[in-house]
């Protein structure tokens, strides 16, 4: 059991009712789950004096002041949840591009072919997870490459660190370079074997992962849908409606489908625990379908800005009420930092505040930006109540933030008049230096 004394950030409510709470002098107690001793959870959280008094009254084992780590001026915050990131694209960050499809052809596919080498996959996995944890990401839904051992390398590295990580074999059996294309049956058999070996082990989860519609044959999409049916606790991840050229390509391949998103639905790949990256060019029927199927969107603002793809429509997302959260989308995204991702999301929301537009009611508010990368992203993964918040019973993944990490940050946060100003100043000025420590359950 461990205890920490600092300010505590947590969230309650949804949408317009969302509230960020900052307990100025808080106490966070973490320890073994009574039902699963290998699982570290939050045992108590709240005002320091009240929580300490209640703990002493309710437990035989008193919390001694000398056993509490004192962190004056620091903030305990939920670990960030990255809803969409590509570990084989670590070396693609910052590659100049004329748009999504040329970027894939000129840079991404060449890097992913290197993952045929297990040693390369293993070394990149370690650096990739270093970058996530250094930036305060404690849960990630991530793509691997189309090579089975790339998945195994990442799972092994994450298991060693006790990270909550979800990944899967990237399914590609057409319209891709040799070295990345798979035999359809082999790709499905390997996916099945990986599910049976890794899914639900420690804090690891498997995601059935067709890259996107153009690189999967009908047979592969059908097989992926069958896997999803046989293994309902797995996740599904892919891309949808990121780029207009991509959408036209999908339409030419599946003219019978009403929309790009409906292709996935037709193959049984739209359900709870399915997360689709980008979702820029959806229509209202697509948005209603996401809500009906209890699927979620992963917003990737730095990637969309970098590749010139377009902007996620927050206002219509609010009206239709489907789930969404934030992803870095490294390497189309330009940073592992959740602060940069949240700032990109703010820019995206601001674009919709122009005259004649449909401004979102709350998407650009600081507390909602943080929620999208913590509790909101957890909800999108079907892990609400498990991760993404600092409340009793949640897994003890949290950050120790230092709002005085740089002189400029210290000057600005010292002038914050309320929680909203404090959170927003950290979004704008924060980077990995703000994350003093990442604590993993």
């Amino acid at each position: 059991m461990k205890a920490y004394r600092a300010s505590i950030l947590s969230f309650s409510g949804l949408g317009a009712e969302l509230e960020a709470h900052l307990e100025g002098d808080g106490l966070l107690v973490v320890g073994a789950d009574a039902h699963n001793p290998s699982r570290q959870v939050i045992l108590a959280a709240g005002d320091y004096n009240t929580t300490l008094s209640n703990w002493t009254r309710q437990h035989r084992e008193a919390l001694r002041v000398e056993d509490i780590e004192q962190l004056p001026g620091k903030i305990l915050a939920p670990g960030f949840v990255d809803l969409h990131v590509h570990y084989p694209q670590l070396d693609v960050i910052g590659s100049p591009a004329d748009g999504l499809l040329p970027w894939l052809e000129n840079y991404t596919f060449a890097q992913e072919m290197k993952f045929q080498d297990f040693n390369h996959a293993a070394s990149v996995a370690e650096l990739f997870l270093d970058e996530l944890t250094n930036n305060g990401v404690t849960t990630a839904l991530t793509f691997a490459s189309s090579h089975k051992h790339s998945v195994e390398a990442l799972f092994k590295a994450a298991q060693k660190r006790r990270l909550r990580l979800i990944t899967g074999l990237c399914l590609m059996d057409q319209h891709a370079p040799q070295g990345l294309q798979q035999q359809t049956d082999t790709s499905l058999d390997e996916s099945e074997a990986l599910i049976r070996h890794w899914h639900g082990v420690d804090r690891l989860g498997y995601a059935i992962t067709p890259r996107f519609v153009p690189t999967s044959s009908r047979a592969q999409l059908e097989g992926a849908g069958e896997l999803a049916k046989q293994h309902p606790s797995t996740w599904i991840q892919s891309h949808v409606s990121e780029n207009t050229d991509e959408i036209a390509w999908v339409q030419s391949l599946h003219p019978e489908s009403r929309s790009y998103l409906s292709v996935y639905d037709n193959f049984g790949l739209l359900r709870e625990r399915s997360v689709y990256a980008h979702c820029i060019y959806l229509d209202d029927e697509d948005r209603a379908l996401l809500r009906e199927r209890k699927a979620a969107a992963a917003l990737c603002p730095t990637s969309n800005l970098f590749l010139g793809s377009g902007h996620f429509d927050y206002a219509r997302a609010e009206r239709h009420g489907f789930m969404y959260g934030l992803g870095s989308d490294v390497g189309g995204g330009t940073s592992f930092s959740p602060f940069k991702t949240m700032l990109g999301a703010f820019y995206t929301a601001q674009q919709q505040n122009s005259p004649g537009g449909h401004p979102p009611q709350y998407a650009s508010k600081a507390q909602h930006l943080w929620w999208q990368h913590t509790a909101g992203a957890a909800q999108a993964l079907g892990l609400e109540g498990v991760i993404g918040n600092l409340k009793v019973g949640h897994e003890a993944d949290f950050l120790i933030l230092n709002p005085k990490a740089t002189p400029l940050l210290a000057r600005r946060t010292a002038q914050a008049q309320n929680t909203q100003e404090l959170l927003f100043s950290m979004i704008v000025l924060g980077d990995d230096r703000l994350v003093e420590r990442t604590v993993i359950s």
Side-chain angles (χ1 to χ4, degrees), residues 365-416:
K365 307 301 182 188
Q367 63 181 10
H368 197 266
L369 295 168
W370 281 73
W371 176 88
Q372 290 175 61
H373 230 337
T374 54
Q379 181 191 56
L381 287 173
L383 294 174
E384 184 177 14
V386 179
I387 58 171
N389 217 338
L390 297 189
K391 294 187 174 182
V392 173
H394 284 64
E395 292 178 349
D397 291 336
F398 63 94
L399 312 176
I400 299 173
L401 303 179
N402 179 9
K404 299 179 181 178
T406 69
L408 180 58
L409 185 63
R411 186 178 181 88
R412 183 62 190 90
T413 55
Q415 297 178 62

Side-chain angles (χ1 to χ4, degrees), residues 185-229:
D185 289 344
T186 301
S187 70
L188 298 170
D189 290 344
E190 288 182 346
S191 297
E192 173 83 27
L194 287 164
I195 291 169
R196 295 190 180 282
H197 186 82
W198 289 104
H199 183 61
V201 174
D202 295 331
R203 306 183 75 206
L204 306 176
Y206 194 86
I208 298 163
T209 308
R211 186 188 200 100
F212 66 156
V213 165
T215 50
S216 285
S217 67
R218 291 172 184 267
Q220 192 175 56
L221 291 170
E222 185 177 355
E226 186 58 33
L227 281 175
K229 182 179 179 180

Side-chain angles (χ1 to χ4, degrees), residues 211-244:
R211 186 188 200 100
F212 66 156
V213 165
T215 50
S216 285
S217 67
R218 291 172 184 267
Q220 192 175 56
L221 291 170
E222 185 177 355
E226 186 58 33
L227 281 175
K229 182 179 179 180
Q230 293 173 7
H231 302 280
S233 67
T234 58
W235 283 264
I236 300 166
Q237 62 175 341
S238 193
H239 303 82
V240 71
S241 299
E242 177 181 2
N243 174 280
T244 53

Side-chain angles (χ1 to χ4, degrees), residues 287-306:
R287 296 182 181 97
L289 185 60
L290 280 173
R291 177 171 181 167
E292 180 183 345
R293 296 289 190 264
K294 299 181 180 179
L299 287 58
C300 305
T302 69
S303 173
N304 299 155
L305 291 166
F306 177 71

Side-chain angles (χ1 to χ4, degrees), residues 40-108:
Q40 293 288 302
V41 297
I42 297 171
L43 301 176
D47 169 73
Y48 176 79
N49 289 322
T50 303
T51 304
L52 185 62
S53 174
N54 288 343
W55 182 274
T56 302
R57 185 173 64 255
Q58 295 170 8
H59 297 80
R60 294 179 181 178
E61 183 183 3
L63 272 176
R64 299 179 304 171
V65 173
E66 56 266 32
D67 294 332
I68 300 170
E69 185 171 353
Q70 305 290 329
L71 298 164
K74 306 299 170 60
I75 299 170
L76 306 180
F80 289 110
V81 179
D82 194 328
L83 267 190
H84 183 71
V85 60
H86 295 253
Y87 111 85
Q89 292 181 19
L90 183 141
D91 292 325
V92 186
I93 300 173
S95 301
D98 295 322
L100 171 65
L101 298 181
W103 178 78
L104 289 172
E105 293 170 7
N106 295 331
Y107 298 104
T108 306

